[in-house]
Amino acid sequence: MEGKVTKQDILNDSDFKELTQQKKTISVMLTIIELILYFGFIALIAFNKPFLASKITSTITIGIPIAIGTIILSWVLTGIYVRWANNKYDALVSKVKEKFGG
Amino acid sequence: MQETIIGQTNPLAIAFFLLFVISTLAITYWAANKRTRTTKEFYAAGRSITGFQNGLALAGDYMSAASFLGIAGLVSTRGYDGLIYSVGWLVGWPIIMFLISEPLRNLGKYTFADVVAYRLQQRPIRAAAATGSLVTVLFYLVAQMVGAGTLIKLMFGFPFEVAIIVVGTLMISYVLFGGMLATTWVQIIKAVMLLGGATLLVILTLAQFGFEYGTLFGAAAKQYGDKFLEPGGLVTNPIDAFSLGIALMFGTAGLPHILMRFYTVPDAKEARKSVFYATGFIGYFYILTVTIGFGAAVLVGQKVIMGIDKGGNMAAPLLAEVLGGTVFLGFLAAVAFATILAVVTGLTLAGASALSHDLYVGVLRRGVANEKEEVKVAKAAMICLGIAAILLGILFKGENVAFMVGLAFAVAASANFPALLMSIMWKKFTTKGAVASIYTGLTLAVVLIVLSPTVWVDIIHGKEKKAIETQIKDLDVQSKQRIEMLQRQGGLSETAIAAEKAQVEAKTEELNAQMPKAIFPLKNPGLISMAAAFLVGIFVSLLSSEKTAEEKFEEEKLRSYIGIGAE
């Protein structure tokens, strides 16, 4: 099979198509979640300051865990992506590569 | 608190700093021995850096002294508003991860212009992308250099010019002799020092409050009122906030010195890992910085902090002095110095690469130049940029350059990011579209910020603004005195007081009307300039179809998604 494989063969391969499709979907989805997370936070500050100022304990306002949470969640999202890519994506890539002889 | 020694020459701080310089120079010597002769070695450390190491180095490149000292200061003086700001500095990293990191690594070689030019015409693209890179780097660099001179003067007592020349000379040496390999290790060491120092400072702070965040916030609220823990005046205009948010978020994904780091790792897998580590380190760092800010507000006090520096930049060092004495202050001052040094080194290397790899080889030599020649040009570009950075730093001494960081991010978000993203994602993107998009984003970002309240009112018409503000203040004081006097004389009717007040109000309004007005209303142009860059890029591309670029897109997929043919 080697030597006869053209670029077109790989491009038309169903596994390759699935791989690009999955990567696009997850990238776009996670990007949208991140945008909602951050601009949602900004929108809260702009339009609902009293909510952020409400207290959850005798001293801490809810705005503090929300801000820190935005930072931590952003990091968790990158973790989710790496996990997906290391397991699923890399597996699909090596599958395609094996099929066409590396 | 007792007297601070900030601003005096501190032998301990200098000793710590010398230790950092000696160790980084030793690494440079080692890196130079490993050869920096090929372009791959000089620009990309031979692609030998691991994902974890690059994660630390990315964090080192990104965590500037301005964000460490600046955000701690902002939190200590403005409470929750400082926290809002710190969130904005982190959220660009997931975007880099999801949209850019892997294709960037697979498609490019040394600079992000490689990716944009991959299937388009080399010369116009490289010229445009290099311009975008250089403008971003220069604005960021000037802000960093001026900040460096000021901070070092404040902390070590060195003259401004000496500080800038020391920083400039060291950064040129690292890159010239050790290339990207030495630069990477400078970043790693600095990141470890900064994260370690900040962690220790937070532990010492929290120890004062029984390791309870609640007690710390309670003490802060007791001293400065509940308002300190609530969003205040920083975000008043929602569109302004969105615009700044966009510049911070997408600007991060368009910073040339950050993007360049992705070529130091062997493949896309390591590239993605490095973003995960970097995001973790940077997020952790901002959480520490915010804690330090609140700690400084309580344990040092706003009066003392603002007495030394109005912007609050000395909050973290002052806190270190209170909690760990002269030794810890010395250590933290050295960390801040190292931080500045590392950031300007990374920036200058990215600028030099744009000059040599994109402009000299890509445009002037039309892509034909041997390795030796390119490395030579890159080193010469490094020396020129280094000297330019020193001169610009001295030229802008004492000027208000804080807006330049915002501008660098706006340019990165408008000139670099849209073209990069569209070239990766969009089949019908053309050379004309890319060039139009880059120059539109660049021009709009620069012009609009000049016309914005930040520059037009505060800097260009700053004197008039201040004069009117003083007049209004005087008017207010005078009128209060008059009313008081009239009241003391007695027999004054309510109507007379009301009339006096109305008169003052009218005068104030009149003065306010004379206040210089910004031609462009937003403080940061990101929203408009980035949107325009995307729209112009799409529009021009649709008008100018480019067959070869479209055909190459399919081929590009193989390299972008599975790394076939990646360098």
Side-chain angles (χ1 to χ4, degrees):
Chain A
M1 192 160 164
E2 251 172 282
K4 283 178 191 163
V5 179
T6 62
K7 284 175 177 167
Q8 210 51 44
D9 291 338
I10 308 181
L11 286 167
N12 289 334
D13 181 64
S14 61
D15 283 326
F16 181 76
K17 279 187 175 155
E18 193 192 330
L19 171 156
T20 53
Q21 204 47 51
Q22 277 198 18
K23 155 97 173 116
K24 246 186 220 162
T25 313
I26 198 146
S27 292
V28 170
M29 228 171 55
L30 287 170
T31 303
I32 290 172
I33 296 175
E34 179 64 29
L35 290 175
I36 293 174
L37 194 66
Y38 177 53
F39 288 104
F41 173 60
I42 298 283
L44 268 183
I45 300 161
F47 299 111
N48 200 348
K49 284 199 179 84
F51 169 71
L52 289 172
S54 53
K55 293 211 163 142
I56 47 169
T57 71
S58 58
T59 52
I60 299 178
T61 54
I62 198 164
I64 291 170
I66 286 182
I68 302 289
T70 307
I71 293 180
I72 294 174
L73 265 177
S74 297
W75 181 57
V76 169
L77 287 180
T78 64
I80 290 172
Y81 179 81
V82 169
R83 230 189 122 90
W84 170 80
N86 282 350
N87 295 328
K88 290 255 173 82
Y89 187 69
D90 286 351
L92 274 171
V93 169
S94 42
K95 195 175 162 193
V96 172
K97 278 189 172 170
E98 253 167 52
K99 200 192 282 183
F100 294 96
Chain B
M1 72 171 271
Q2 72 275 49
E3 285 289 291
T4 173
I5 62 149
I6 282 182
Q8 298 160 20
T9 307
N10 177 353
L12 264 170
I14 295 173
F16 280 124
F17 180 67
L18 281 180
L19 201 69
F20 171 78
V21 169
I22 290 167
S23 58
T24 48
L25 283 177
I27 281 172
T28 307
Y29 180 74
W30 161 80
N33 274 345
K34 286 186 89 176
R35 292 208 307 272
T36 51
R37 266 179 234 155
T38 66
T39 47
K40 198 165 114 183
E41 285 164 345
F42 185 79
Y43 294 124
R47 315 212 195 281
S48 61
I49 308 295
T50 68
F52 180 77
Q53 290 168 342
N54 195 43
L56 268 174
L58 280 168
D61 250 328
Y62 194 68
M63 301 180 297
S64 61
S67 60
F68 178 50
L69 301 176
I71 288 179
L74 202 60
V75 171
S76 74
T77 54
R78 308 197 48 175
Y80 191 80
D81 279 353
L83 178 54
I84 297 173
Y85 209 56
S86 72
V87 175
W89 288 96
L90 181 85
V91 292
W93 286 90
I95 302 296
I96 295 184
M97 171 75 108
F98 307 145
L99 298 180
I100 294 202
S101 62
E102 292 157 324
L104 180 76
R105 175 63 196 86
N106 277 337
L107 293 174
K109 212 170 158 190
Y110 305 129
T111 62
F112 83 90
D114 291 338
V115 179
V116 187
Y118 186 78
R119 62 196 163 90
L120 304 177
Q121 289 165 35
Q122 297 284 327
R123 291 182 77 204
I125 295 291
R126 286 198 187 271
T131 313
S133 292
L134 281 171
V135 173
T136 313
V137 164
L138 279 177
F139 280 120
Y140 209 175
L141 200 54
V142 170
Q144 293 289 331
M145 287 304 263
V146 175
T150 316
L151 286 175
I152 292 166
K153 190 178 159 204
L154 213 55
M155 281 190 295
F156 290 83
F158 290 169
F160 185 92
E161 287 79 5
V162 173
I164 285 198
I165 291 170
V166 169
V167 168
T169 315
L170 280 170
M171 86 182 173
I172 293 174
S173 326
Y174 291 146
V175 178
L176 205 56
F177 301 114
M180 181 51 114
L181 188 58
T183 307
T184 302
W185 281 99
V186 169
Q187 304 297 358
I188 293 175
I189 296 175
K190 162 256 170 118
V192 170
M193 274 172 74
L194 184 56
L195 289 168
T199 304
L200 188 58
L201 190 51
V202 164
I203 292 174
L204 291 176
T205 305
L206 288 178
Q208 303 283 320
F209 301 94
F211 291 98
E212 288 266 353
Y213 264 99
T215 322
L216 167 62
F217 288 128
K222 205 173 155 199
Q223 234 172 311
Y224 303 104
D226 280 346
K227 281 263 170 275
F228 201 59
L229 303 180
E230 297 168 9
L234 192 69
V235 179
T236 40
N237 175 356
I239 300 176
D240 233 347
F242 278 110
S243 196
L244 177 66
I246 278 181
L248 286 179
M249 192 176 216
F250 298 107
T252 305
L255 292 175
H257 65 303
I258 297 293
L259 297 176
M260 193 181 176
R261 289 229 70 86
F262 287 92
Y263 301 117
T264 63
V265 295
D267 54 30
K269 187 178 172 130
E270 293 301 309
R272 95 173 64 107
K273 271 204 241 164
S274 65
V275 186
F276 173 70
Y277 289 122
T279 314
F281 289 131
I282 296 166
Y284 171 66
F285 167 74
Y286 282 129
I287 294 173
L288 293 179
T289 310
V290 167
T291 314
I292 291 168
F294 279 113
V298 174
L299 298 170
V300 182
Q302 287 181 354
K303 257 193 196 149
V304 178
I305 296 171
M306 288 162 90
I308 288 188
D309 174 71
K310 261 195 190 150
N313 279 318
M314 288 301 109
L318 281 165
L319 182 64
E321 192 179 18
V322 167
L323 293 172
T326 319
V327 179
F328 197 29
L329 172 66
F331 176 69
L332 216 67
V335 169
F337 203 161
T339 295
I340 293 168
L341 187 52
V343 171
V344 293
T345 306
L347 274 170
T348 320
L349 177 55
S353 314
L355 278 174
S356 57
H357 184 63
D358 297 328
L359 278 184
Y360 180 79
V361 178
V363 179
L364 268 175
R365 301 293 311 268
R366 295 170 185 265
V368 206
N370 66 33
E371 297 257 322
K372 238 184 171 173
E373 185 186 351
E374 183 168 352
V375 173
K376 226 188 231 168
V377 174
K379 287 185 174 174
M382 183 63 209
I383 297 175
C384 294
L385 260 186
I387 292 171
I390 293 174
L391 294 178
L392 283 171
I394 293 172
L395 183 73
F396 282 94
K397 177 186 176 180
E399 298 290 329
N400 180 354
V401 292
F403 77 93
M404 286 192 185
V405 175
L407 178 54
F409 272 78
V411 172
S414 314
N416 310 345
F417 175 73
L420 181 58
L421 187 69
M422 285 191 280
S423 73
I424 292 171
M425 293 247 179
W426 191 36
K427 189 174 172 178
K428 293 193 181 316
F429 198 43
T430 67
T431 303
K432 282 183 182 143
V435 170
S437 166
I438 291 173
Y439 288 123
T440 304
L442 177 63
T443 318
L444 270 183
V446 175
V447 169
L448 290 181
I449 211 154
V450 170
L451 302 179
S452 76
T454 342
V455 177
W456 191 258
V457 178
D458 292 350
I459 295 175
I460 298 178
H461 293 94
K463 274 188 194 145
E464 288 142 86
K465 186 189 169 191
K466 265 213 182 115
I468 294 177
E469 274 171 353
T470 351
Q471 277 183 39
I472 292 177
K473 231 187 195 168
D474 290 349
L475 198 68
D476 193 49
V477 173
Q478 283 164 12
S479 126
K480 274 195 184 127
Q481 282 171 347
R482 249 195 320 272
I483 292 178
E484 230 172 74
M485 215 170 68
L486 288 169
Q487 274 171 334
R488 242 181 290 135
Q489 285 169 349
L492 187 73
S493 69
E494 293 282 319
T495 43
I497 293 178
E500 166 75 26
K501 274 188 182 161
Q503 200 193 346
V504 170
E505 229 168 74
K507 262 193 195 160
T508 312
E509 227 166 81
E510 203 177 293
L511 282 170
N512 265 330
Q514 288 169 21
M515 194 78 107
K517 291 222 166 37
I519 297 166
F520 177 72
L522 300 178
K523 284 183 195 142
N524 191 297
L527 180 65
I528 305 293
S529 53
M530 189 177 96
F534 270 114
L535 287 178
V536 167
I538 292 170
F539 190 69
V540 175
S541 292
L542 289 177
L543 284 180
S544 60
S545 81
E546 197 171 328
K547 266 256 161 65
T548 48
E550 266 183 58
E551 281 162 17
K552 261 191 159 176
F553 186 74
E554 294 300 321
E555 188 196 317
E556 181 186 281
K557 267 188 178 169
L558 291 181
R559 185 158 161 177
S560 163
Y561 283 100
I562 55 180
I564 292 178
E567 287 175 69

